[in-house]
Amino acid sequence: MHTVAVLSLKGGVGKTTVVLGLASAAMRRGVRTLVVDLDPQCNATACLEPDATDKELGDVLADPRPEVLSAAVAPSAWGEEVDVLVGSEDGELHNGHHPDEEHLSKLTTALSRLDELIADGELPYQLVLLDCPPSLGRLTRSALVAADRAMLVTEPTIFAVSGVQRAFEAVQAEREANNPRLQPLGVVVNRVRPRSHEHQYRIEELREIFGPLVMPVALPDRLAVQQAQGACMPIHQWGTPGAREVALAFNLLLARTLRAGRVDRSAELDDFDDEEFEEAAE
């Protein structure tokens, strides 16, 4: 199981869009995925449309026992490969600064028990995507403590670039303080318009700051993303030229994410050989 925290410390840059796009690409590849909706806005939960659950994220953070976790996880409406740990608006109650650092480990404790949820004949989760709120409260910090890798999301604008710098610093701080295995996966630039000189300038600025951590594939600004989300559909199933362009970018991001997981834990993804990674763009 490879756990990736997807974060930005600036709202509105498309963080949840990246989570949903990766989940869509993972479903296409047959990678069983759990989306953990840590954002109290619950946009990922709304788009994935799971059935009603007896428990939600807030209940899991208050009491991370396996039976509570099981009651908060539901299949998405997208397909059997994608499940959701359902978000809740009252998750904001868990987002304050608590003096007891032990509270940061409750999400880690819960996720460590995911295998206990797997029924006979089901595949284990191969990918866990943590959709963080756009702030450095306890929810985001809990995600960084639980994650193997951190994916930073930004737009090619001056304020978003500043936000991703703060997010990178937060990843480094959490790695030093609580999670030595945490590594940055990369910086995803979202909503790029190739003909915009301002966008190209900001992308070059990001490359000067973060070097090879800036993902070689950027996500183009296409109306199809909003259309697919509005219809609560995976971007890979939307079918327009714009959707296919965005889906291709997410295939490449997923390939890089899974490759990082193989480095961290090669036995977990033995069924994905090098040829399949090369086929991600097809």
Side-chain angles (χ1 to χ4, degrees):
M1 187 175 72
H2 186 48
T3 304
V4 179
V6 182
L7 72 151
S8 172
L9 297 188
K10 183 185 183 303
V13 300
K15 167 185 52 62
T16 299
T17 293
V18 171
V19 170
L20 294 172
L22 286 172
S24 177
M27 186 172 71
R28 172 186 172 273
R29 299 293 295 174
V31 177
R32 193 173 185 212
T33 301
L34 176 68
V35 173
V36 180
D37 193 354
L38 289 159
D39 192 336
Q41 298 181 78
C42 304
N43 291 334
T45 298
C47 193
L48 290 165
E49 293 190 307
D51 290 337
T53 56
D54 294 331
K55 301 291 184 181
E56 298 174 323
L57 172 74
D59 300 298
V60 173
L61 294 178
D63 182 6
R65 289 178 299 155
E67 54 266 34
V68 179
L69 177 64
S70 178
V73 172
S76 75
W78 285 12
E80 61 184 13
E81 293 90 354
V82 180
D83 290 350
V84 191
L85 200 173
V86 174
S88 58
E89 293 182 2
D90 65 3
E92 188 63 46
L93 300 174
H94 297 268
N95 205 27
H97 296 280
H98 199 283
D100 183 2
E101 293 294 318
E102 182 181 349
H103 281 71
L104 294 176
S105 66
K106 288 194 173 182
L107 180 62
T108 306
T109 300
L111 296 181
S112 70
R113 295 168 175 169
L114 281 175
D115 286 344
E116 299 179 36
L117 275 61
I118 307 302
D120 289 341
E122 286 186 340
L123 292 173
Y125 293 113
Q126 294 164 291
L127 180 64
V128 178
L129 299 171
L130 308 177
D131 187 13
C132 302
S135 62
L136 190 58
R138 188 152 36 112
L139 291 173
T140 296
R141 292 190 63 202
S142 295
L144 294 176
V145 171
D148 304 305
R149 295 288 178 120
M151 180 178 287
L152 312 181
V153 182
T154 188
E155 289 182 331
T157 64
I158 184 171
F159 298 118
V161 168
S162 176
V164 81
Q165 287 179 287
R166 296 195 305 274
F168 183 78
E169 291 168 1
V171 170
Q172 295 299 97
E174 214 59 58
R175 177 186 177 187
E176 294 175 5
N178 294 302
N179 184 5
R181 77 179 186 282
L182 178 66
Q183 298 283 345
L185 178 57
V187 177
V188 180
V189 187
N190 189 31
R191 297 180 185 143
V192 173
R193 295 192 295 273
R195 296 182 181 179
S196 168
H197 293 297
E198 172 67 11
H199 283 195
Q200 296 307 313
Y201 177 83
R202 295 303 170 190
I203 291 172
E204 288 304 315
E205 184 179 31
L206 283 166
R207 288 177 177 149
E208 289 177 5
I209 297 170
F210 296 106
L213 279 178
V214 178
M215 294 288 192
V217 57
L219 300 174
D221 187 12
R222 296 292 180 266
L223 180 60
V225 173
Q226 287 74 41
Q227 291 172 330
Q229 290 177 3
C232 298
M233 286 181 60
I235 190 67
H236 288 73
Q237 294 179 10
W238 192 241
T240 66
R244 287 191 289 271
E245 184 182 1
V246 176
L248 169 61
F250 277 120
N251 291 345
L252 296 172
L253 284 180
L254 177 70
R256 179 154 176 168
T257 300
L258 296 180
R259 187 176 290 119
R262 295 185 79 182
V263 171
D264 293 341
R265 200 171 39 261
S266 60
E268 195 79 36
L269 294 169
D270 278 346
D271 54 331
F272 288 88
D273 60 27
D274 291 337
E275 183 177 349
E276 284 183 292
F277 282 115
E278 296 301 323
E279 292 172 354
E282 295 181 0

